[in-house]
Coordinates of all heavy atoms in Angstrom, one line a residue:
M1 N 50.3 -61.4 -67.0 CA 49.7 -61.5 -65.7 C 49.1 -60.1 -65.4 O 49.7 -59.1 -65.5 CB 50.7 -61.9 -64.6 CG 50.2 -61.7 -63.3 SD 51.4 -62.0 -61.9 CE 52.9 -62.6 -62.6
I2 N 47.8 -60.1 -64.9 CA 47.1 -58.9 -64.6 C 47.4 -58.5 -63.2 O 47.3 -59.3 -62.2 CB 45.6 -59.1 -64.8 CG1 45.2 -59.4 -66.2 CG2 44.8 -57.8 -64.3 CD1 45.5 -58.3 -67.2
I3 N 47.9 -57.3 -63.0 CA 48.2 -56.8 -61.6 C 47.0 -56.0 -61.0 O 46.6 -56.3 -59.9 CB 49.5 -55.9 -61.6 CG1 50.7 -56.7 -62.2 CG2 49.7 -55.3 -60.3 CD1 51.1 -57.9 -61.3
C4 N 46.5 -55.1 -61.8 CA 45.3 -54.3 -61.4 C 44.1 -54.9 -62.1 O 43.9 -54.7 -63.3 CB 45.5 -52.9 -61.8 SG 44.1 -51.8 -61.3
R5 N 43.3 -55.6 -61.3 CA 42.1 -56.3 -61.9 C 41.0 -55.3 -62.2 O 40.3 -55.5 -63.2 CB 41.6 -57.3 -60.9 CG 42.5 -58.5 -60.6 CD 41.9 -59.4 -59.7 NE 41.6 -58.8 -58.4 CZ 41.9 -59.2 -57.2 NH1 42.5 -60.4 -57.1 NH2 41.5 -58.6 -56.1
C6 N 40.9 -54.2 -61.4 CA 39.9 -53.2 -61.7 C 40.1 -52.5 -63.0 O 39.1 -52.3 -63.8 CB 39.8 -52.2 -60.6 SG 39.5 -52.9 -58.9
E7 N 41.3 -52.2 -63.4 CA 41.6 -51.4 -64.6 C 42.2 -52.3 -65.6 O 42.6 -51.8 -66.7 CB 42.5 -50.2 -64.3 CG 41.8 -49.2 -63.4 CD 40.7 -48.5 -64.2 OE1 40.8 -48.3 -65.4 OE2 39.7 -48.1 -63.5
E8 N 42.4 -53.6 -65.3 CA 43.0 -54.6 -66.2 C 44.4 -54.2 -66.8 O 44.6 -54.1 -68.0 CB 42.0 -54.9 -67.4 CG 40.7 -55.5 -66.9 CD 39.8 -55.9 -68.0 OE1 40.2 -55.7 -69.2 OE2 38.7 -56.3 -67.7
V9 N 45.3 -53.8 -65.9 CA 46.6 -53.4 -66.2 C 47.5 -54.6 -65.9 O 47.6 -55.2 -64.8 CB 47.1 -52.2 -65.4 CG1 48.5 -51.8 -65.8 CG2 46.1 -51.0 -65.6
S10 N 48.3 -55.0 -66.9 CA 49.2 -56.1 -66.8 C 50.6 -55.8 -66.2 O 51.0 -54.6 -66.2 CB 49.4 -56.8 -68.2 OG 50.2 -55.9 -69.0
Y11 N 51.3 -56.8 -65.8 CA 52.6 -56.6 -65.2 C 53.5 -56.0 -66.3 O 54.3 -55.1 -66.1 CB 53.1 -57.9 -64.7 CG 54.6 -57.9 -64.2 CD1 54.8 -57.4 -62.9 CD2 55.6 -58.2 -65.0 CE1 56.1 -57.4 -62.4 CE2 56.9 -58.2 -64.5 CZ 57.1 -57.7 -63.3 OH 58.4 -57.6 -62.8
K12 N 53.4 -56.6 -67.5 CA 54.2 -56.1 -68.6 C 54.0 -54.7 -68.9 O 55.0 -53.9 -69.2 CB 54.0 -57.0 -69.9 CG 54.9 -56.7 -71.0 CD 54.6 -57.6 -72.2 CE 55.5 -57.2 -73.4 NZ 55.4 -58.1 -74.5
E13 N 52.8 -54.2 -68.9 CA 52.5 -52.8 -69.2 C 53.1 -51.9 -68.1 O 53.7 -50.9 -68.4 CB 51.0 -52.6 -69.3 CG 50.6 -51.2 -69.6 CD 49.0 -51.0 -69.7 OE1 48.3 -52.0 -69.6 OE2 48.6 -49.9 -69.8
L14 N 53.0 -52.3 -66.9 CA 53.6 -51.5 -65.8 C 55.1 -51.5 -65.9 O 55.7 -50.4 -65.8 CB 53.2 -52.1 -64.4 CG 51.7 -51.9 -64.0 CD1 51.4 -52.8 -62.8 CD2 51.4 -50.5 -63.7
E15 N 55.7 -52.6 -66.2 CA 57.1 -52.7 -66.3 C 57.7 -51.8 -67.5 O 58.6 -51.1 -67.3 CB 57.6 -54.1 -66.4 CG 59.1 -54.3 -66.3 CD 59.4 -55.8 -66.3 OE1 58.9 -56.5 -67.1 OE2 60.2 -56.2 -65.4
T16 N 57.0 -52.0 -68.6 CA 57.4 -51.2 -69.8 C 57.2 -49.7 -69.6 O 58.1 -48.9 -69.9 CB 56.5 -51.6 -71.0 OG1 56.7 -53.0 -71.2 CG2 56.9 -50.9 -72.2
T17 N 56.1 -49.3 -69.0 CA 55.9 -47.9 -68.7 C 56.9 -47.3 -67.7 O 57.5 -46.2 -67.9 CB 54.5 -47.7 -68.2 OG1 53.6 -48.2 -69.1 CG2 54.2 -46.2 -67.9
A18 N 57.2 -48.1 -66.6 CA 58.2 -47.6 -65.6 C 59.6 -47.5 -66.3 O 60.3 -46.5 -66.0 CB 58.3 -48.6 -64.5
T19 N 60.0 -48.4 -67.2 CA 61.3 -48.3 -67.8 C 61.3 -47.1 -68.8 O 62.3 -46.4 -68.9 CB 61.6 -49.6 -68.5 OG1 61.6 -50.6 -67.5 CG2 63.0 -49.6 -69.1
K20 N 60.3 -47.0 -69.6 CA 60.2 -46.1 -70.7 C 60.2 -44.6 -70.2 O 60.9 -43.8 -70.7 CB 59.0 -46.3 -71.6 CG 58.9 -45.4 -72.8 CD 57.7 -45.7 -73.6 CE 57.6 -44.8 -74.8 NZ 56.4 -45.1 -75.7
Y21 N 59.4 -44.4 -69.2 CA 59.2 -43.0 -68.7 C 59.9 -42.7 -67.4 O 59.8 -41.6 -66.9 CB 57.7 -42.7 -68.5 CG 56.9 -42.7 -69.8 CD1 56.1 -43.8 -70.1 CD2 57.0 -41.7 -70.7 CE1 55.4 -43.8 -71.3 CE2 56.3 -41.7 -71.9 CZ 55.5 -42.8 -72.2 OH 54.8 -42.8 -73.3
K22 N 60.7 -43.7 -66.9 CA 61.4 -43.5 -65.7 C 60.5 -43.0 -64.5 O 60.8 -42.0 -63.9 CB 62.6 -42.6 -65.9 CG 63.5 -43.0 -67.0 CD 64.6 -42.0 -67.2 CE 65.4 -42.5 -68.4 NZ 66.4 -41.5 -68.8
C23 N 59.4 -43.8 -64.4 CA 58.3 -43.4 -63.5 C 58.6 -43.7 -62.0 O 59.2 -44.7 -61.7 CB 57.1 -44.1 -63.8 SG 56.4 -43.7 -65.4
S24 N 58.1 -42.8 -61.2 CA 57.9 -43.1 -59.8 C 56.6 -43.9 -59.7 O 55.9 -44.0 -60.6 CB 57.8 -41.8 -59.0 OG 56.7 -41.1 -59.3
A25 N 56.3 -44.4 -58.5 CA 55.1 -45.1 -58.3 C 53.8 -44.3 -58.6 O 52.9 -44.7 -59.2 CB 55.0 -45.7 -56.9
R26 N 53.9 -43.0 -58.1 CA 52.7 -42.1 -58.3 C 52.5 -41.9 -59.8 O 51.4 -41.9 -60.3 CB 53.0 -40.8 -57.6 CG 51.8 -39.9 -57.6 CD 52.1 -38.7 -56.7 NE 51.1 -37.8 -56.7 CZ 49.9 -37.9 -56.0 NH1 49.7 -38.9 -55.3 NH2 49.0 -36.9 -56.1
E27 N 53.6 -41.6 -60.5 CA 53.5 -41.3 -62.0 C 53.1 -42.6 -62.7 O 52.3 -42.5 -63.7 CB 54.8 -40.8 -62.5 CG 54.7 -40.4 -64.0 CD 56.0 -39.8 -64.5 OE1 57.0 -39.7 -63.8 OE2 56.0 -39.6 -65.8
L28 N 53.6 -43.7 -62.3 CA 53.2 -45.0 -62.9 C 51.7 -45.2 -62.8 O 51.0 -45.7 -63.7 CB 54.0 -46.1 -62.3 CG 53.8 -47.5 -62.9 CD1 54.2 -47.5 -64.4 CD2 54.7 -48.5 -62.1
K29 N 51.1 -44.9 -61.6 CA 49.7 -45.0 -61.4 C 48.9 -44.1 -62.4 O 47.9 -44.5 -63.0 CB 49.4 -44.6 -59.9 CG 47.9 -44.6 -59.6 CD 47.8 -44.1 -58.2 CE 46.3 -43.8 -57.9 NZ 46.1 -43.3 -56.5
F30 N 49.3 -42.9 -62.5 CA 48.6 -42.0 -63.4 C 48.8 -42.3 -64.9 O 47.8 -42.2 -65.7 CB 49.1 -40.5 -63.2 CG 48.7 -40.0 -61.9 CD1 49.6 -39.3 -61.1 CD2 47.4 -40.1 -61.4 CE1 49.3 -38.8 -59.9 CE2 47.0 -39.5 -60.2 CZ 48.0 -38.9 -59.4
R31 N 49.9 -42.8 -65.3 CA 50.1 -43.2 -66.7 C 49.3 -44.5 -67.1 O 48.9 -44.6 -68.3 CB 51.6 -43.4 -67.0 CG 52.4 -42.1 -67.1 CD 53.8 -42.3 -67.6 NE 54.5 -41.1 -67.6 CZ 54.5 -40.3 -68.7 NH1 53.8 -40.6 -69.7 NH2 55.3 -39.2 -68.7
T32 N 49.2 -45.4 -66.2 CA 48.6 -46.7 -66.6 C 47.2 -46.9 -66.0 O 46.5 -47.8 -66.4 CB 49.4 -47.9 -66.1 OG1 49.5 -47.8 -64.7 CG2 50.8 -47.8 -66.7
R33 N 46.8 -46.0 -65.1 CA 45.5 -46.1 -64.3 C 45.5 -47.3 -63.3 O 44.4 -47.6 -62.8 CB 44.3 -46.2 -65.3 CG 44.1 -44.9 -66.0 CD 42.7 -44.7 -66.5 NE 41.6 -45.0 -65.6 CZ 41.1 -44.2 -64.6 NH1 41.6 -43.1 -64.4 NH2 40.1 -44.6 -63.9
A34 N 46.6 -47.9 -63.1 CA 46.6 -49.0 -62.2 C 46.4 -48.4 -60.8 O 47.0 -47.4 -60.4 CB 48.0 -49.7 -62.2
G35 N 45.6 -49.0 -60.0 CA 45.3 -48.5 -58.6 C 44.2 -47.5 -58.6 O 44.0 -46.9 -57.5
M36 N 43.6 -47.2 -59.7 CA 42.6 -46.1 -59.8 C 41.2 -46.7 -60.0 O 40.3 -46.0 -60.3 CB 42.9 -45.1 -60.9 CG 44.3 -44.4 -60.6 SD 44.7 -43.3 -61.9 CE 43.8 -41.8 -61.3
G37 N 41.1 -48.0 -59.8 CA 39.8 -48.6 -60.0 C 38.9 -48.6 -58.8 O 39.1 -47.8 -57.9
Y38 N 37.9 -49.5 -58.8 CA 36.9 -49.5 -57.8 C 37.5 -49.8 -56.4 O 37.0 -49.2 -55.4 CB 35.8 -50.6 -58.1 CG 34.7 -50.5 -57.2 CD1 33.7 -49.5 -57.3 CD2 34.5 -51.5 -56.3 CE1 32.6 -49.5 -56.4 CE2 33.4 -51.5 -55.4 CZ 32.5 -50.5 -55.5 OH 31.4 -50.5 -54.7
C39 N 38.5 -50.6 -56.3 CA 39.1 -51.0 -55.0 C 40.0 -49.9 -54.5 O 40.4 -49.9 -53.3 CB 39.8 -52.3 -55.0 SG 41.4 -52.3 -55.8
G40 N 40.4 -48.9 -55.3 CA 41.2 -47.8 -54.8 C 42.7 -48.3 -54.6 O 43.4 -47.6 -53.9
G41 N 43.1 -49.3 -55.2 CA 44.5 -49.8 -55.1 C 44.8 -50.7 -53.9 O 45.9 -51.1 -53.7
R42 N 43.8 -51.2 -53.3 CA 44.0 -52.1 -52.2 C 44.6 -53.4 -52.6 O 45.4 -54.0 -51.8 CB 42.6 -52.4 -51.5 CG 42.1 -51.3 -50.6 CD 40.9 -51.7 -49.8 NE 40.4 -50.6 -49.1 CZ 40.6 -50.4 -47.8 NH1 41.4 -51.2 -47.2 NH2 40.1 -49.4 -47.2
S43 N 44.3 -53.9 -53.7 CA 44.9 -55.2 -54.2 C 46.2 -55.1 -55.0 O 47.0 -56.0 -55.0 CB 43.9 -56.0 -55.0 OG 43.6 -55.3 -56.1
C44 N 46.5 -53.9 -55.5 CA 47.7 -53.8 -56.4 C 48.7 -52.8 -56.0 O 49.7 -52.7 -56.6 CB 47.2 -53.5 -57.8 SG 46.3 -52.0 -58.0
R45 N 48.4 -52.0 -55.0 CA 49.3 -50.9 -54.6 C 50.7 -51.4 -54.3 O 51.7 -50.7 -54.7 CB 48.7 -50.1 -53.4 CG 49.5 -49.0 -52.9 CD 48.8 -48.2 -51.8 NE 48.4 -49.1 -50.7 CZ 49.1 -49.3 -49.6 NH1 50.1 -48.5 -49.3 NH2 48.6 -50.1 -48.7
A46 N 50.8 -52.4 -53.5 CA 52.2 -52.9 -53.2 C 53.0 -53.3 -54.4 O 54.2 -53.1 -54.5 CB 52.0 -54.1 -52.2
M47 N 52.3 -54.0 -55.4 CA 53.0 -54.4 -56.6 C 53.4 -53.2 -57.4 O 54.5 -53.2 -58.0 CB 52.1 -55.4 -57.4 CG 52.8 -56.0 -58.5 SD 54.3 -56.9 -58.0 CE 53.8 -58.6 -58.1
I48 N 52.6 -52.2 -57.5 CA 52.9 -51.0 -58.3 C 54.1 -50.4 -57.6 O 55.1 -50.0 -58.4 CB 51.7 -50.0 -58.3 CG1 50.6 -50.6 -59.1 CG2 52.2 -48.7 -58.9 CD1 49.3 -49.8 -58.9
D49 N 54.2 -50.2 -56.3 CA 55.3 -49.7 -55.6 C 56.6 -50.5 -55.9 O 57.6 -50.0 -56.2 CB 55.1 -49.7 -54.1 CG 54.2 -48.5 -53.7 OD1 54.0 -47.6 -54.4 OD2 53.6 -48.6 -52.6
K50 N 56.4 -51.8 -55.9 CA 57.6 -52.7 -56.1 C 58.1 -52.6 -57.5 O 59.3 -52.5 -57.7 CB 57.2 -54.1 -55.8 CG 58.3 -55.1 -55.9 CD 57.9 -56.5 -55.6 CE 59.1 -57.5 -55.7 NZ 58.7 -58.8 -55.3
I51 N 57.3 -52.5 -58.5 CA 57.7 -52.4 -59.9 C 58.4 -51.1 -60.1 O 59.4 -51.0 -60.8 CB 56.5 -52.6 -60.9 CG1 56.0 -54.0 -60.8 CG2 56.9 -52.1 -62.3 CD1 54.7 -54.2 -61.5
A52 N 57.9 -50.0 -59.5 CA 58.5 -48.7 -59.7 C 59.8 -48.6 -59.0 O 60.8 -48.0 -59.5 CB 57.5 -47.6 -59.1
N53 N 59.9 -49.2 -57.8 CA 61.2 -49.2 -57.1 C 62.3 -50.1 -57.6 O 63.4 -49.8 -57.5 CB 60.9 -49.5 -55.6 CG 60.1 -48.4 -54.9 OD1 60.2 -47.3 -55.3 ND2 59.4 -48.8 -53.9
T54 N 61.9 -51.2 -58.3 CA 62.9 -52.1 -58.8 C 63.3 -51.7 -60.2 O 64.3 -52.3 -60.7 CB 62.4 -53.6 -58.8 OG1 61.2 -53.7 -59.6 CG2 62.2 -54.1 -57.4
S55 N 62.6 -50.8 -60.9 CA 63.0 -50.4 -62.2 C 64.3 -49.6 -62.1 O 64.5 -48.8 -61.2 CB 61.9 -49.4 -62.8 OG 62.4 -48.9 -64.0
S56 N 65.3 -50.0 -62.9 CA 66.6 -49.4 -62.8 C 66.7 -47.9 -63.1 O 67.6 -47.3 -62.7 CB 67.6 -50.1 -63.8 OG 67.1 -50.0 -65.1
N57 N 65.7 -47.4 -63.7 CA 65.7 -46.0 -64.1 C 65.0 -45.1 -63.0 O 64.9 -43.9 -63.3 CB 65.0 -45.8 -65.4 CG 65.7 -46.5 -66.5 OD1 67.0 -46.5 -66.5 ND2 65.0 -47.1 -67.4
T58 N 64.5 -45.6 -61.9 CA 63.8 -44.7 -61.0 C 64.7 -44.4 -59.8 O 64.2 -43.9 -58.8 CB 62.5 -45.4 -60.5 OG1 62.9 -46.6 -59.8 CG2 61.6 -45.6 -61.6
Q59 N 66.0 -44.5 -59.8 CA 66.8 -44.2 -58.7 C 66.9 -42.8 -58.3 O 67.2 -42.5 -57.2 CB 68.2 -44.8 -59.0 CG 68.3 -46.3 -59.1 CD 69.6 -46.7 -59.6 OE1 70.5 -46.0 -59.8 NE2 69.8 -48.0 -59.7
N60 N 66.6 -41.9 -59.2 CA 66.6 -40.4 -58.9 C 65.3 -39.9 -58.3 O 65.3 -38.8 -57.9 CB 67.0 -39.7 -60.2 CG 68.4 -40.0 -60.7 OD1 69.2 -40.4 -59.9 ND2 68.6 -39.8 -62.0
H61 N 64.3 -40.7 -58.3 CA 63.0 -40.3 -57.8 C 62.9 -40.5 -56.3 O 63.5 -41.4 -55.7 CB 61.9 -41.0 -58.4 CG 61.6 -40.6 -59.8 ND1 61.0 -39.5 -60.2 CD2 62.0 -41.2 -61.0 CE1 61.0 -39.4 -61.5 NE2 61.5 -40.5 -62.0
T62 N 62.2 -39.6 -55.6 CA 61.9 -39.8 -54.2 C 60.8 -40.9 -54.1 O 59.8 -40.8 -54.8 CB 61.4 -38.5 -53.6 OG1 62.4 -37.5 -53.8 CG2 61.2 -38.7 -52.1
C63 N 61.0 -41.8 -53.2 CA 60.0 -42.9 -53.1 C 58.8 -42.4 -52.2 O 59.0 -42.1 -51.0 CB 60.7 -44.1 -52.5 SG 59.5 -45.5 -52.3
V64 N 57.7 -42.2 -52.8 CA 56.5 -41.8 -52.1 C 55.5 -42.9 -52.3 O 55.1 -43.3 -53.4 CB 55.9 -40.5 -52.7 CG1 54.6 -40.1 -51.9 CG2 57.0 -39.4 -52.5
S65 N 55.0 -43.6 -51.2 CA 54.1 -44.6 -51.3 C 52.7 -44.1 -51.8 O 52.4 -43.0 -51.4 CB 53.9 -45.3 -50.0 OG 53.0 -46.3 -50.1
L66 N 52.0 -44.9 -52.6 CA 50.7 -44.5 -53.0 C 49.7 -44.6 -51.9 O 49.8 -45.5 -51.1 CB 50.2 -45.4 -54.2 CG 51.0 -45.4 -55.4 CD1 50.5 -46.4 -56.4 CD2 51.1 -44.0 -56.0
K67 N 48.8 -43.6 -51.8 CA 47.7 -43.7 -50.8 C 46.6 -44.6 -51.4 O 46.5 -44.8 -52.6 CB 47.2 -42.4 -50.4 CG 46.4 -41.7 -51.5 CD 45.8 -40.4 -51.0 CE 44.8 -39.9 -52.0 NZ 43.8 -39.0 -51.4
Y68 N 45.7 -45.1 -50.6 CA 44.6 -45.8 -51.0 C 43.4 -45.3 -50.2 O 43.5 -44.8 -49.1 CB 44.7 -47.3 -51.0 CG 44.9 -47.9 -49.6 CD1 43.8 -48.3 -48.9 CD2 46.1 -48.0 -49.1 CE1 44.0 -48.8 -47.6 CE2 46.3 -48.5 -47.8 CZ 45.2 -48.9 -47.1 OH 45.4 -49.4 -45.8
Q69 N 42.2 -45.4 -50.9 CA 41.0 -44.9 -50.2 C 40.0 -46.0 -50.2 O 40.0 -46.9 -51.1 CB 40.4 -43.7 -51.0 CG 41.3 -42.5 -51.1 CD 40.8 -41.5 -52.1 OE1 40.1 -41.7 -53.0 NE2 41.3 -40.2 -51.8
P70 N 39.1 -46.0 -49.2 CA 38.1 -47.0 -49.2 C 37.2 -46.9 -50.5 O 37.0 -45.8 -51.0 CB 37.3 -46.8 -48.0 CG 37.6 -45.4 -47.6 CD 39.0 -45.1 -48.2
P71 N 36.7 -48.0 -50.9 CA 35.8 -48.0 -52.1 C 34.6 -47.1 -51.9 O 34.1 -47.0 -50.8 CB 35.3 -49.4 -52.3 CG 36.3 -50.2 -51.5 CD 36.8 -49.4 -50.4
V72 N 34.2 -46.4 -52.9 CA 33.0 -45.5 -52.8 C 31.8 -46.3 -53.5 O 31.9 -46.9 -54.5 CB 33.3 -44.2 -53.6 CG1 32.0 -43.3 -53.6 CG2 34.5 -43.5 -53.0
R73 N 30.7 -46.3 -52.8 CA 29.5 -46.9 -53.3 C 28.7 -45.9 -54.1 O 28.5 -44.8 -53.7 CB 28.7 -47.5 -52.1 CG 29.4 -48.6 -51.4 CD 28.5 -49.2 -50.4 NE 29.4 -50.1 -49.6 CZ 28.9 -50.9 -48.7 NH1 27.6 -50.9 -48.4 NH2 29.7 -51.7 -48.1
P74 N 28.2 -46.3 -55.2 CA 27.4 -45.4 -56.0 C 26.1 -45.1 -55.4 O 25.5 -46.0 -54.7 CB 27.2 -46.2 -57.4 CG 27.5 -47.6 -57.1 CD 28.4 -47.6 -55.9
I75 N 25.6 -43.9 -55.6 CA 24.3 -43.5 -55.0 C 23.6 -42.8 -56.1 O 24.1 -42.0 -56.9 CB 24.5 -42.6 -53.8 CG1 23.2 -42.2 -53.1 CG2 25.3 -41.4 -54.1 CD1 23.3 -41.6 -51.8
N76 N 22.3 -43.0 -56.2 CA 21.5 -42.3 -57.2 C 21.1 -40.9 -56.8 O 21.1 -40.6 -55.6 CB 20.3 -43.1 -57.7 CG 19.3 -43.3 -56.7 OD1 19.0 -42.5 -55.8 ND2 18.6 -44.5 -56.7
F77 N 20.8 -40.0 -57.7 CA 20.4 -38.7 -57.4 C 19.2 -38.6 -56.5 O 19.0 -37.6 -55.7 CB 20.3 -37.8 -58.6 CG 21.6 -37.5 -59.2 CD1 22.1 -38.1 -60.4 CD2 22.5 -36.6 -58.6 CE1 23.3 -37.8 -60.9 CE2 23.7 -36.3 -59.2 CZ 24.1 -36.9 -60.3
G78 N 18.3 -39.5 -56.7 CA 17.0 -39.5 -55.9 C 17.4 -39.6 -54.4 O 16.8 -38.9 -53.6
N79 N 18.2 -40.6 -54.1 CA 18.6 -40.7 -52.7 C 19.4 -39.6 -52.2 O 19.3 -39.2 -51.0 CB 19.4 -42.0 -52.5 CG 18.6 -43.3 -52.7 OD1 17.4 -43.2 -52.5 ND2 19.3 -44.4 -52.9
L80 N 20.2 -39.0 -53.0 CA 21.1 -37.9 -52.6 C 20.2 -36.6 -52.3 O 20.5 -35.9 -51.3 CB 22.1 -37.6 -53.7 CG 23.1 -36.5 -53.4 CD1 24.0 -36.9 -52.3 CD2 23.9 -36.2 -54.7
G81 N 19.2 -36.4 -53.1 CA 18.4 -35.2 -52.9 C 17.2 -35.5 -52.0 O 16.4 -34.5 -51.7
G82 N 17.1 -36.7 -51.5 CA 16.0 -36.9 -50.5 C 14.6 -37.3 -51.2 O 13.6 -37.4 -50.6
Y83 N 14.7 -37.5 -52.5 CA 13.5 -37.9 -53.3 C 13.3 -39.4 -53.2 O 14.1 -40.2 -53.5 CB 13.6 -37.5 -54.7 CG 12.4 -37.9 -55.6 CD1 11.2 -37.3 -55.5 CD2 12.6 -39.0 -56.5 CE1 10.1 -37.7 -56.3 CE2 11.5 -39.4 -57.3 CZ 10.3 -38.8 -57.2 OH 9.3 -39.2 -57.9
D84 N 12.1 -39.8 -52.6 CA 11.8 -41.3 -52.5 C 10.7 -41.6 -53.5 O 9.7 -40.9 -53.6 CB 11.4 -41.6 -51.1 CG 12.5 -41.4 -50.0 OD1 13.6 -41.7 -50.4 OD2 12.2 -41.0 -48.9
K85 N 10.9 -42.7 -54.1 CA 9.8 -43.2 -55.1 C 8.8 -43.9 -54.3 O 8.9 -44.6 -53.4 CB 10.4 -44.1 -56.1 CG 11.2 -43.4 -57.1 CD 11.6 -44.3 -58.2 CE 12.2 -43.6 -59.4 NZ 12.6 -44.4 -60.4

């Protein structure tokens, strides 16, 4: 089952990584890239937090919720520099 659609990260990959590396939610995000896609974690952040918190090996970590940012729209350099075609 795919948890992060933007980066195509599966539940199994998240669970395996959390168990293997004893990850907090923040570290799990960096190791798997889950939550780092176009939506900025809006659709998968809660599940990443849950997987990290339910992993039996993360009891020694401080629980810090992941932040999320609004999606960024791409802009071309012509619009950025004020050059109009």
